[in-house]
Amino acid sequence: MSVTGKRGVGVPVILMHDGEGTIVTVECKNGDLYRGFLDETEDNFNAVLKDATKTTADGKRVQIDHIFIRGSQICFFVFPTMLKKAPMFKRVKAWRKHRGNAKGDAARGQAAAIIRKAMARQLQLKSSVLPPPR
């Protein structure tokens, strides 16, 4: 499992998915700007905007109902400031705090399970060997 999600995607992709349903600005490699409602996104940065305004590099404006923008043609997104408080950032902070284990649990894997089981067995033996309190 990655830091930011089960599918192994990174922070920018998660932020882009969190931005769905908001008004965004997208700049493309050819200099065109699109500002509109971010309807749908994909992990490869493909995006669908509704009720968008296209501003070409020379300043002309055109209203567009629906537009699909290929991810490889996108330079950057401008998201609303409300996404600064996105829950994804809390997961990243927890991941950094616990050195890669976002939940803060003990290590994972077969070796870690064997060690936990042995430690539990030792605690159980200690409690059975001690004399009862007086």
Side-chain angles (χ1 to χ4, degrees):
M1 187 165 126
S2 78
V3 175
T4 55
K6 293 181 181 176
R7 296 188 324 191
V9 295
V11 173
V13 176
I14 297 292
L15 184 63
M16 187 179 63
H17 286 297
D18 285 348
E20 288 180 1
T22 62
I23 304 294
V24 298
T25 304
V26 180
E27 182 170 333
C28 294
K29 288 182 179 179
N30 63 0
D32 291 348
L33 284 171
Y34 296 92
R35 180 168 174 78
F37 182 80
L38 184 60
D39 188 39
E40 190 177 338
T41 58
E42 298 174 12
D43 288 354
N44 56 6
F45 277 77
N46 291 345
V48 176
L49 296 178
K50 283 184 178 178
D51 302 324
T53 303
K54 175 184 178 182
T55 306
T56 60
D58 58 352
K60 295 179 185 174
R61 290 186 175 210
V62 179
Q63 282 295 119
I64 301 172
D65 290 335
H66 265 75
I67 184 155
F68 174 85
I69 305 172
R70 184 182 170 106
S72 64
Q73 298 303 309
I74 294 174
C75 280
F76 64 87
F77 281 90
V78 178
F79 291 103
T81 56
M82 70 178 195
L83 289 178
K84 286 182 182 179
K85 303 291 184 190
M88 178 261 315
F89 291 118
K90 292 179 185 172
R91 289 197 307 262
V92 172
K93 194 179 285 186
W95 183 82
R96 286 184 179 158
K97 181 179 178 184
H98 298 290
R99 295 190 198 137
N101 194 357
K103 295 179 184 176
D105 297 337
R108 299 183 316 188
Q110 186 176 4
I114 292 169
I115 291 170
R116 281 194 302 270
K117 196 172 187 179
M119 291 175 72
R121 201 174 300 134
Q122 284 178 350
L123 285 174
Q124 191 177 27
L125 287 174
K126 283 183 181 178
S127 63
S128 65
V129 172
L130 293 176
R134 294 184 193 180

